[in-house]
Amino acid sequence: MSSILVVGSLAYDDVRTPVASRDGVLGGAASYFSMAASLYAPVRLVGVVGDDFKDGDIARLRDRGVDLGGLERRQGTSFRWKGTYDFALDTAETINTDLGVFGDWRPKIPSAFVDSEFVFLANIDPVIQLATLEQMRRPKVVALDTMNYWIDHSRDALLEVMAKVDVVSINEGEARQLCNTFKLAHAAREILALGPRVLVVKRGENGATLFTKEGAFWAPAYPLDETVDPTGAGDTFAGGFVGYIAECGGFEDPVSLRRAVLHGTVCASFAVERFSVDGIGAADRAAVDARYKALHDLIRV
Ligand code: AMP
């Protein structure tokens, strides 16, 4: 089966919500992505951790079948992120970022990984995303995520890498910010004009919207009684989305793209039900498929 390569952060997060907090829990874009994508296809992870990274956290990824042949362990501290949410639980406010060993790390894709057909460039410096992409042989589908920091600080490189990928996944606010517009449809048109074939705009509790040159597909979020911690929702969404596309062998059929959005939505719903990767980590494929069916029934006419 087609393999998925992910390059991104593995972190220890300190998370504050208005009702609860957790310190030093497993996070990072690559962790969330891998926990979801591994429900669909084999995942190869490229990342870096410090000598403080717990064996038990490595085991959580390994137990999910993730190939850790591209995981470097360096002397120093792992990436640490501290974020807080207000009651809207939509956008995280970063309180502190401590890059640790992540700071001067430049991903080196192991030779056994360069032929991966599906690639996810998680939120990371776009210059590094470009350098990563150049090491890949001929990937079939490349997807990219980013954040407001890179829109502000590394805009030219971000636009350059966006032009080279197939799928851009971005938050609603970031899409507006990138294109300096209040109108999402305008932002979508502008981003697609850069080169990607597919744009996925994540809209938190309001779901996600898929844009292609042919049109748009609006998916609601999976209805949950309670959201505990929205951290990692976007990366888990990407894991379900790219995972499903890899399982299908690509997205030439436009229906598979719409289904991929629902799979991303469902995976994200598991992630936000608990802190850290605990929610998506407890989900298996049967649980995902049951929620997929329920979500599909909800939007069917
Ligand atoms: P999400 O909520 O999907 O946007 O992703 C949250 C995860 O991204 C957290 O677990 C953080 O550890 C990680 N993260 C936050 N800021 C950065 C950054 N600048 N670079 C890489 N990963 C980050």
Side-chain angles (χ1 to χ4, degrees):
M1 205 201 276
S2 313
S3 286
I4 305 169
L5 177 100
V6 54
V7 182
S9 59
L10 292 114
Y12 283 129
D13 292 343
D14 300 333
V15 179
R16 306 270 173 275
T17 78
V19 292
S21 307
R22 290 289 183 282
D23 286 333
V25 294
L26 176 61
S31 309
Y32 282 104
F33 177 90
S34 301
M35 294 302 275
S38 55
L39 294 169
Y40 298 85
V43 175
R44 300 161 164 177
L45 187 151
V46 174
V48 66
V49 294
D51 41 25
D52 56 347
F53 206 76
K54 297 185 200 99
D55 290 341
D57 289 328
I58 290 183
R60 293 177 84 173
L61 293 161
R62 189 171 289 129
D63 290 350
R64 201 72 164 194
V66 178
D67 186 337
L68 299 172
L71 180 65
E72 285 179 55
R73 199 188 259 275
R74 290 193 175 174
Q75 250 184 10
T77 51
S78 299
F79 178 72
R80 263 199 109 102
W81 175 78
K82 183 171 184 168
T84 183
Y85 299 88
D86 63 17
F87 273 99
L89 288 182
D90 49 8
T91 345
E93 185 197 333
T94 296
I95 300 174
N96 192 38
T97 300
D98 181 358
L99 294 174
V101 292
F102 199 58
D104 59 358
W105 176 69
R106 296 292 171 270
K108 167 93 190 67
I109 310 300
S111 55
F113 286 7
V114 294
D115 63 349
S116 306
E117 283 190 282
F118 298 86
V119 177
F120 181 62
L121 305 170
N123 166 34
I124 194 171
D125 185 338
V127 174
I128 297 180
Q129 290 179 322
L130 274 168
T132 303
L133 201 48
E134 278 160 14
Q135 295 175 54
M136 300 306 298
R137 206 159 279 151
R138 289 191 66 221
K140 204 166 179 177
V141 174
V142 180
L144 161 154
D145 189 31
T146 192
M147 71 186 287
N148 47 8
Y149 181 85
W150 304 117
I151 297 172
D152 287 337
H153 294 91
S154 197
R155 189 185 167 83
D156 290 348
L158 181 59
L159 297 183
E160 193 183 337
V161 67
M162 278 185 172
K164 293 190 173 159
V165 303
D166 304 285
V167 180
V168 168
S169 149
I170 194 168
N171 287 341
E172 185 170 17
E174 291 160 357
R176 296 183 205 277
Q177 180 191 351
L178 180 72
C179 301
N180 199 21
T181 176
F182 300 116
K183 284 297 287 177
L184 187 58
H186 291 179
R189 223 174 294 136
E190 240 182 80
I191 294 170
L192 288 175
L194 292 170
R197 288 188 283 158
V198 176
L199 168 68
V200 184
V201 178
K202 296 164 289 177
R203 303 168 51 244
E205 212 185 11
N206 298 315
T209 308
L210 171 82
F211 292 95
T212 63
K213 294 213 167 69
E214 286 72 42
F217 172 62
W218 299 72
Y222 182 85
L224 290 172
D225 284 344
E226 205 187 0
T227 302
V228 171
D229 171 20
T231 309
D235 304 306
T236 314
F237 177 97
F241 182 85
V242 176
Y244 182 75
I245 285 171
E247 190 178 71
C248 294
F251 59 79
E252 295 323 314
D253 173 8
V255 176
S256 61
L257 264 183
R258 292 181 171 213
R259 291 193 180 126
V261 173
L262 299 192
H263 275 278
T265 301
V266 164
C267 286
S269 76
F270 285 106
V272 303
E273 277 183 318
R274 299 203 208 164
F275 277 99
S276 180
V277 299
D278 295 358
I280 186 64
D284 60 12
R285 187 56 194 268
V288 166
D289 288 345
R291 276 197 184 176
Y292 177 94
K293 189 180 173 307
L295 183 62
H296 189 255
D297 286 348
L298 196 76
I299 59 177
R300 209 173 41 181
V301 286

